[in-house]
Coordinates of all heavy atoms in Angstrom, one line a residue:
Q1120 N 4.3 22.2 1.8 CA 4.6 23.0 2.9 C 4.0 22.3 4.2 O 3.3 21.4 4.0 CB 4.2 24.4 2.8 CG 2.8 24.7 2.7 CD 2.2 25.6 3.8 OE1 1.0 25.4 4.0 NE2 2.8 26.5 4.4
G1121 N 4.3 22.8 5.3 CA 3.6 22.3 6.5 C 4.4 21.2 7.1 O 5.4 20.8 6.7
D1122 N 3.6 20.4 8.1 CA 4.4 19.4 8.8 C 4.2 18.0 8.2 O 3.7 17.1 8.9 CB 3.9 19.4 10.2 CG 2.3 19.1 10.4 OD1 1.7 19.2 9.4 OD2 1.9 18.7 11.4
P1155 N -1.4 17.6 4.9 CA -1.1 18.0 6.2 C -1.5 19.3 6.7 O -2.1 20.1 5.8 CB 0.6 18.0 6.2 CG 0.8 18.3 4.8 CD -0.2 17.8 3.9
G1156 N -1.2 19.7 7.8 CA -1.5 21.0 8.4 C -0.5 22.0 7.7 O 0.5 21.6 7.0
G1157 N -0.7 23.3 7.9 CA 0.1 24.3 7.3 C -0.8 25.6 7.3 O -1.5 25.9 8.2
E1158 N -0.8 26.1 6.1 CA -1.6 27.3 5.9 C -2.4 27.1 4.6 O -1.7 27.1 3.5 CB -0.7 28.5 5.8 CG -1.3 29.8 6.5 CD -2.4 30.4 5.5 OE1 -2.2 30.5 4.3 OE2 -3.6 30.7 6.0
S1159 N -3.7 27.0 4.7 CA -4.5 26.5 3.5 C -4.4 27.5 2.4 O -4.4 27.1 1.2 CB -6.0 26.2 4.0 OG -6.5 27.4 4.6
G1160 N -4.3 28.8 2.7 CA -4.3 29.8 1.6 C -2.9 29.6 0.8 O -2.9 29.8 -0.4
T1161 N -1.9 29.3 1.6 CA -0.5 29.1 0.9 C -0.6 27.9 0.1 O 0.0 27.8 -1.0 CB 0.5 29.0 2.0 OG1 0.4 30.1 2.8 CG2 2.0 28.9 1.4
F1162 N -1.3 26.7 0.6 CA -1.4 25.6 -0.2 C -2.0 25.9 -1.6 O -1.6 25.5 -2.6 CB -2.3 24.6 0.5 CG -1.6 23.6 1.4 CD1 -1.8 23.7 2.8 CD2 -0.6 22.7 0.9 CE1 -1.1 22.9 3.7 CE2 0.1 21.8 1.7 CZ -0.2 21.9 3.1
T1186 N -5.5 17.0 7.6 CA -5.4 17.4 8.9 C -5.3 18.9 8.9 O -4.4 19.6 8.3 CB -4.2 16.8 9.8 OG1 -2.9 17.2 9.1 CG2 -4.3 15.3 9.7
C1187 N -6.2 19.6 9.8 CA -6.1 21.1 10.0 C -6.2 21.8 8.6 O -7.2 21.8 8.0 CB -4.9 21.4 10.8 SG -5.2 22.9 11.6
A1188 N -5.1 22.5 8.1 CA -5.2 23.1 6.8 C -5.7 22.1 5.8 O -6.5 22.4 4.8 CB -3.9 23.7 6.4
G1189 N -5.3 20.8 5.9 CA -5.7 19.8 5.0 C -7.2 19.6 5.0 O -7.9 19.3 4.0
C1190 N -7.8 19.6 6.2 CA -9.3 19.6 6.4 C -9.9 20.7 5.7 O -11.0 20.5 5.0 CB -9.6 19.6 7.9 SG -11.3 19.8 8.4
I1191 N -9.4 21.9 5.9 CA -10.0 23.0 5.2 C -9.9 22.8 3.7 O -11.0 23.1 3.0 CB -9.1 24.3 5.6 CG1 -9.2 24.6 7.1 CG2 -9.7 25.6 4.8 CD1 -8.3 25.6 7.6
L1192 N -8.9 22.3 3.1 CA -8.8 22.1 1.7 C -9.8 21.1 1.2 O -10.3 21.2 0.0 CB -7.3 21.6 1.3 CG -6.3 22.7 1.3 CD1 -5.0 22.1 1.0 CD2 -6.5 23.8 0.2
I1197 N -15.9 26.9 3.0 CA -14.9 27.6 3.8 C -15.2 28.9 4.2 O -15.6 29.8 3.3 CB -13.5 27.4 3.2 CG1 -13.1 26.0 3.0 CG2 -12.4 28.1 4.0 CD1 -13.1 25.6 1.6
E1198 N -15.2 29.3 5.4 CA -15.5 30.7 5.9 C -14.2 31.3 6.6 O -13.4 30.5 7.1 CB -16.6 30.5 7.0 CG -17.9 29.9 6.5 CD -18.8 30.7 5.7 OE1 -18.5 32.0 5.6 OE2 -19.7 30.2 5.1
N1199 N -14.3 32.6 6.6 CA -13.3 33.4 7.5 C -11.8 33.2 6.9 O -11.0 32.8 7.7 CB -13.3 33.0 8.9 CG -12.5 33.9 9.7 OD1 -12.5 35.1 9.5 ND2 -11.9 33.3 10.7
P1200 N -11.5 33.7 5.7 CA -12.4 34.2 4.7 C -12.9 33.0 3.9 O -12.3 31.9 3.9 CB -11.6 35.1 3.8 CG -10.2 34.5 4.0 CD -10.1 33.9 5.3
Q1202 N -12.9 30.7 0.8 CA -11.9 30.4 -0.3 C -12.3 29.1 -0.9 O -13.2 28.3 -0.5 CB -10.4 30.2 0.4 CG -10.3 29.2 1.5 CD -9.0 29.3 2.2 OE1 -8.4 30.3 2.3 NE2 -8.5 28.1 2.5
R1213 N -14.8 26.8 9.5 CA -14.4 28.2 9.8 C -12.9 28.2 10.1 O -12.6 27.6 11.1 CB -15.3 28.8 11.0 CG -14.8 30.1 11.5 CD -15.9 30.8 12.3 NE -17.0 31.1 11.5 CZ -17.1 32.3 10.8 NH1 -16.2 33.2 10.8 NH2 -18.2 32.4 10.0
R1214 N -12.2 28.9 9.4 CA -10.7 29.0 9.7 C -10.4 29.7 11.0 O -11.2 30.7 11.3 CB -10.0 29.6 8.5 CG -10.0 28.8 7.3 CD -9.3 29.5 6.1 NE -7.9 29.7 6.4 CZ -7.1 30.6 5.8 NH1 -7.5 31.3 4.8 NH2 -5.8 30.7 6.1
N1215 N -9.4 29.4 11.6 CA -8.9 30.0 12.8 C -9.9 30.5 13.8 O -10.2 31.6 14.2 CB -8.1 31.4 12.4 CG -7.0 31.0 11.4 OD1 -6.2 30.2 11.7 ND2 -6.8 31.8 10.3
A1216 N -10.8 29.4 14.1 CA -12.1 29.7 14.7 C -11.9 29.9 16.2 O -12.9 30.4 16.9 CB -13.0 28.4 14.5
D1222 N -4.4 30.1 20.5 CA -3.7 29.8 19.2 C -3.5 28.3 19.2 O -3.8 27.7 18.1 CB -2.4 30.4 19.3 CG -2.1 31.1 17.9 OD1 -3.0 31.3 17.2 OD2 -0.9 31.4 17.7
V1238 N -4.0 17.6 19.6 CA -3.2 18.9 19.6 C -3.9 19.8 18.4 O -4.0 19.5 17.3 CB -1.8 18.6 19.1 CG1 -0.9 19.8 19.0 CG2 -1.1 17.6 20.1
F1239 N -4.2 21.0 19.0 CA -4.9 22.0 18.0 C -3.9 23.2 17.8 O -3.3 23.7 18.8 CB -6.2 22.5 18.7 CG -7.3 21.5 18.8 CD1 -7.4 20.8 20.0 CD2 -8.2 21.3 17.8 CE1 -8.4 19.8 20.1 CE2 -9.2 20.4 17.9 CZ -9.3 19.6 19.1
I1240 N -3.7 23.6 16.6 CA -2.9 24.7 16.3 C -3.6 25.6 15.3 O -3.9 25.2 14.1 CB -1.5 24.2 15.6 CG1 -0.8 23.3 16.5 CG2 -0.7 25.5 15.3 CD1 0.4 22.6 15.9
R1241 N -3.9 26.8 15.7 CA -4.7 27.7 14.9 C -5.8 27.0 14.1 O -5.9 27.1 12.9 CB -3.8 28.5 13.9 CG -3.0 29.6 14.6 CD -2.0 30.3 13.6 NE -1.0 29.4 13.2 CZ -0.9 28.9 12.0 NH1 -1.8 29.3 11.0 NH2 0.1 28.1 11.6
A1242 N -6.6 26.2 14.9 CA -7.5 25.2 14.4 C -8.8 25.8 13.8 O -9.2 26.9 14.2 CB -7.9 24.2 15.4
P1243 N -9.2 25.2 12.7 CA -10.5 25.5 12.1 C -11.7 24.8 13.0 O -11.3 24.0 13.8 CB -10.6 25.0 10.8 CG -9.6 23.8 10.9 CD -8.6 24.1 12.0
T1274 N -9.6 18.4 12.6 CA -9.2 19.8 12.8 C -8.0 19.8 13.7 O -7.4 20.9 14.0 CB -10.4 20.6 13.5 OG1 -10.7 20.0 14.7 CG2 -11.6 20.6 12.6
F1275 N -7.6 18.6 14.4 CA -6.4 18.6 15.1 C -5.3 17.9 14.4 O -5.4 17.5 13.3 CB -6.7 17.9 16.5 CG -7.2 16.5 16.4 CD1 -6.3 15.4 16.6 CD2 -8.5 16.3 16.0 CE1 -6.8 14.1 16.5 CE2 -9.0 14.9 15.9 CZ -8.1 13.9 16.1
H1276 N -4.1 17.7 15.1 CA -2.9 17.2 14.5 C -2.6 15.9 15.1 O -1.7 15.8 16.0 CB -1.7 18.2 14.6 CG -1.8 19.4 13.9 ND1 -1.1 19.6 12.7 CD2 -2.5 20.5 14.1 CE1 -1.4 20.8 12.2 NE2 -2.2 21.4 13.0
E1278 N -0.6 13.6 14.0 CA 0.8 13.3 13.8 C 1.7 13.9 14.9 O 2.9 13.5 15.0 CB 1.3 13.8 12.5 CG 1.5 15.3 12.3 CD 0.3 16.2 12.2 OE1 -0.8 15.6 12.4 OE2 0.4 17.4 12.0
L1279 N 1.1 14.8 15.7 CA 2.0 15.4 16.8 C 1.8 14.7 18.2 O 2.4 15.1 19.1 CB 1.7 16.9 16.9 CG 2.0 17.7 15.6 CD1 1.7 19.2 15.9 CD2 3.5 17.5 15.2
Ligands
LIG2227 N1 -4.9 28.3 10.4 C1 -4.5 27.4 9.2 C2 -5.4 27.7 8.0 O1 -6.4 28.4 8.2 C3 -4.5 26.0 9.6 C4 -3.6 25.8 10.8 C5 -3.0 24.4 10.8 O2 -2.9 23.7 9.8 N2 -2.3 24.1 11.9 O3 -5.2 27.3 7.0

Side-chain angles (χ1 to χ4, degrees):
Q1120 62 114 213
D1122 63 342
E1158 215 286 315
S1159 54
T1161 307
F1162 271 113
T1186 59
C1187 205
C1190 167
I1191 297 168
L1192 285 174
I1197 297 110
E1198 305 281 347
N1199 190 37
Q1202 66 185 31
R1213 171 166 295 273
R1214 293 179 62 194
N1215 302 313
D1222 223 19
V1238 178
F1239 293 91
I1240 303 171
R1241 286 177 292 111
T1274 62
F1275 60 100
H1276 288 261
E1278 77 286 4
L1279 298 180

